[in-house]
Amino acid sequence: MTLKIRIDDSAAPYEQVRAQISEQARGGTLPVGYKLPTVRGLAEELGLAANTVAKAYRALEADGVIETRGRNGTFVASARDAASREAAGAAQVYAERVRRLGLSEDAALAAARDAVRAAYSAG
């Protein structure tokens, strides 16, 4: 696992740690089941406070990217499954909201399709 923290970056160090681990897990660089360093170990390696790394790990765990198995350590979870679960949850919230707004199913699907196209063409 290779992480680079840039002090001059506009993103906070914990966010840089979170984003890089997440990207490496989702991209397959960090395979499912890979054991991550301890919070203290990674903090020392990166020259960060332990609380900074702990905050990143908590965010990654909340996102389903990593899982802590007590004293056994912290491991990369199945990030693709976590992303799919999160997308399904967001879709459910969207569906309930547009239904309350009175949109037809076709109008709701068209709005979602337009939003997805715009997001993917933007970047």
Side-chain angles (χ1 to χ4, degrees):
M1 177 172 79
T2 304
L3 302 179
K4 292 187 173 98
I5 304 305
R6 293 182 174 80
I7 302 305
D8 60 343
D9 195 309
S10 63
Y14 92 89
E15 176 56 25
Q16 292 179 53
V17 171
R18 187 211 60 76
Q20 289 178 50
I21 292 175
S22 181
E23 182 178 307
Q24 290 180 31
R26 286 193 167 91
T29 304
L30 294 177
V32 171
Y34 178 86
K35 185 174 183 177
L36 295 171
T38 63
V39 167
R40 275 199 188 107
L42 185 57
E44 287 176 15
E45 183 182 322
L46 297 174
L48 297 172
N51 285 340
T52 300
V53 174
K55 185 175 182 180
Y57 275 23
R58 283 191 304 273
L60 287 162
E61 192 157 23
D63 290 345
V65 175
I66 64 172
E67 58 187 8
T68 301
R69 300 178 190 161
R71 292 178 181 247
N72 291 321
T74 303
F75 298 84
V76 173
S78 182
R80 288 183 183 91
D81 291 345
S84 294
R85 282 193 306 273
E86 188 172 337
Q92 183 65 39
V93 169
Y94 171 76
E96 291 169 3
R97 177 78 174 132
V98 294
R99 186 170 164 263
R100 281 194 308 271
L101 290 171
L103 269 66
S104 69
E105 183 178 339
D106 288 341
L109 288 170
R113 199 171 11 264
D114 289 346
V116 169
R117 281 190 189 124
Y120 279 85
S121 67

XYZ file of all heavy atoms in Angstrom, residues 5 8 11 15 28 46-48 50 52-54 57 65 91 93 104 108 116 119:
132
model
N 0.899 11.840 1.272
C 0.174 12.960 1.875
C 0.886 14.238 1.453
O 2.097 14.379 1.639
C 0.138 12.845 3.415
C -0.477 11.505 3.828
C -0.617 14.024 4.025
C -1.850 11.229 3.263
N 0.581 20.649 1.128
C 0.095 21.817 0.382
C -1.228 21.543 -0.334
O -1.776 22.426 -0.976
C 1.146 22.296 -0.624
C 1.514 21.234 -1.653
O 1.230 20.040 -1.427
O 2.110 21.606 -2.688
N -7.037 19.378 0.383
C -7.766 18.362 1.152
C -7.037 18.092 2.468
O -5.804 18.037 2.519
C -7.885 17.071 0.354
N -8.604 13.174 4.868
C -9.350 12.969 3.628
C -8.443 12.399 2.542
O -8.875 11.581 1.736
C -9.995 14.285 3.166
C -10.710 14.205 1.843
C -11.794 13.135 1.740
O -12.360 12.722 2.769
O -12.078 12.699 0.602
N -8.721 -2.273 -6.993
C -8.138 -3.602 -6.917
C -6.667 -3.623 -6.531
O -6.078 -4.692 -6.380
N 3.395 7.779 7.892
C 3.030 8.973 7.120
C 3.400 10.282 7.817
O 3.237 11.352 7.236
C 1.525 8.961 6.824
C 1.012 7.820 5.964
C -0.513 7.854 5.885
C 1.628 7.857 4.574
N 3.837 10.194 9.065
C 4.153 11.403 9.808
C 2.915 12.189 10.208
O 2.928 13.418 10.259
N 1.834 11.461 10.504
C 0.569 12.083 10.895
C 0.224 11.709 12.330
O 0.767 10.751 12.882
C -0.566 11.601 9.974
C -0.460 11.949 8.502
C -1.555 11.228 7.710
C -0.545 13.444 8.289
N -2.047 10.022 15.142
C -2.859 8.795 15.155
C -4.341 9.126 14.988
O -5.071 8.388 14.310
C -2.620 8.013 16.432
N -5.664 11.403 13.206
C -5.920 11.692 11.793
C -6.185 10.396 11.031
O -7.154 10.287 10.272
C -4.726 12.445 11.173
O -4.547 13.672 11.884
C -4.942 12.727 9.703
N -5.340 9.401 11.251
C -5.508 8.106 10.586
C -6.761 7.407 11.121
O -7.527 6.818 10.348
C -4.254 7.224 10.758
C -4.478 5.824 10.193
C -3.060 7.889 10.076
N -7.010 7.510 12.418
C -8.204 6.891 12.999
C -9.466 7.474 12.379
O -10.423 6.739 12.086
C -8.218 7.075 14.513
N -9.861 5.933 8.948
C -10.318 4.549 9.064
C -11.805 4.485 9.427
O -12.539 3.662 8.890
C -9.478 3.792 10.109
C -8.182 3.193 9.609
C -7.522 3.672 8.478
C -7.580 2.141 10.284
C -6.335 3.114 8.032
C -6.394 1.570 9.853
C -5.773 2.058 8.728
O -4.603 1.490 8.297
N -15.680 0.274 3.008
C -14.457 -0.033 2.266
C -13.544 -0.940 3.086
O -12.880 -1.815 2.545
C -13.717 1.264 1.865
C -12.384 0.965 1.197
C -14.599 2.107 0.956
N -30.459 5.375 -4.488
C -31.549 5.240 -5.455
C -32.894 5.112 -4.743
O -33.901 5.692 -5.183
C -31.308 4.034 -6.362
N -33.695 6.320 -1.755
C -34.035 7.643 -1.228
C -34.576 8.527 -2.347
O -35.593 9.215 -2.181
C -32.802 8.299 -0.547
C -33.047 9.763 -0.238
C -32.434 7.528 0.714
N -44.152 11.203 -12.223
C -44.456 9.880 -12.758
C -43.168 9.058 -12.783
O -42.059 9.606 -12.695
C -45.006 9.999 -14.190
O -43.975 10.428 -15.070
N -39.390 10.493 -13.369
C -38.345 10.234 -12.378
C -37.143 9.556 -13.028
O -35.991 9.919 -12.766
C -38.895 9.371 -11.247
N -27.271 11.356 -14.236
C -26.158 10.419 -14.397
C -25.328 10.782 -15.628
O -24.095 10.832 -15.576
C -26.659 8.963 -14.469
C -25.553 8.014 -14.907
C -27.230 8.530 -13.124
N -23.242 13.833 -14.803
C -22.141 13.522 -13.882
C -21.005 12.801 -14.589
O -19.836 13.111 -14.381
C -22.658 12.685 -12.716
